[in-house]
Amino acid sequence: MKSNAPRMTLPTQAVLRALLADPARERYGLELCDLAGLPGGTVYPILARLERLGWVESRWEDPGAHEEAGRPRRRYYRITPDGAERGRDAVARAYRSRRQPVPSWLLHPGGTS
């Protein structure tokens, strides 16, 4: 049976925290790597799992935008509304399981850290 939630490893939590910091904002892959403090070989498989679960959606940037900037084409990721809700709950549960205080931004979406 296919689970509707990813395993809440510390890297998965870091990627979710990066996405949840500003849920309406699209972020490209390397930006998420920097925010999560993880290498691409860790972040991209997590993003793929979250996308398969419907927690994240992605799109390639418009053709030509990268040519003007002289860089490779970027793939942008954004957490879905359902993914934001489920992600906040999952990360909060992970904090509680480690007996750490849950950050206020997880309890009160839209607030600051």
Side-chain angles (χ1 to χ4, degrees), residues 84-95:
E85 184 178 331
R86 290 173 181 259
R88 278 187 202 96
D89 290 344
V91 173
R93 277 193 311 275
Y95 271 89

Side-chain angles (χ1 to χ4, degrees), residues 88 92 95-96 100-113:
R88 278 187 202 96
Y95 271 89
R96 287 183 189 113
Q100 292 180 324
V102 178
S104 62
W105 62 270
L106 282 172
L107 300 174
H108 309 287
T112 58
S113 56

Side-chain angles (χ1 to χ4, degrees), residues 22-36:
D22 189 353
R25 184 172 172 190
E26 286 185 316
R27 298 190 184 270
Y28 60 94
L30 287 177
E31 181 181 16
L32 287 168
C33 292
D34 288 343
L35 289 170

Side-chain angles (χ1 to χ4, degrees), residues 55-72:
W55 289 28
V56 168
E57 56 191 14
S58 69
R59 70 169 182 87
W60 285 101
E61 77 178 326
D62 296 331
H66 67 288
E67 292 169 356
E68 292 175 18
R71 58 170 169 70

Side-chain angles (χ1 to χ4, degrees), residues 74-90:
R74 291 178 174 165
R75 186 171 188 115
Y76 286 92
Y77 299 87
R78 180 184 355 220
I79 195 159
T80 64
D82 184 52
E85 184 178 331
R86 290 173 181 259
R88 278 187 202 96
D89 290 344

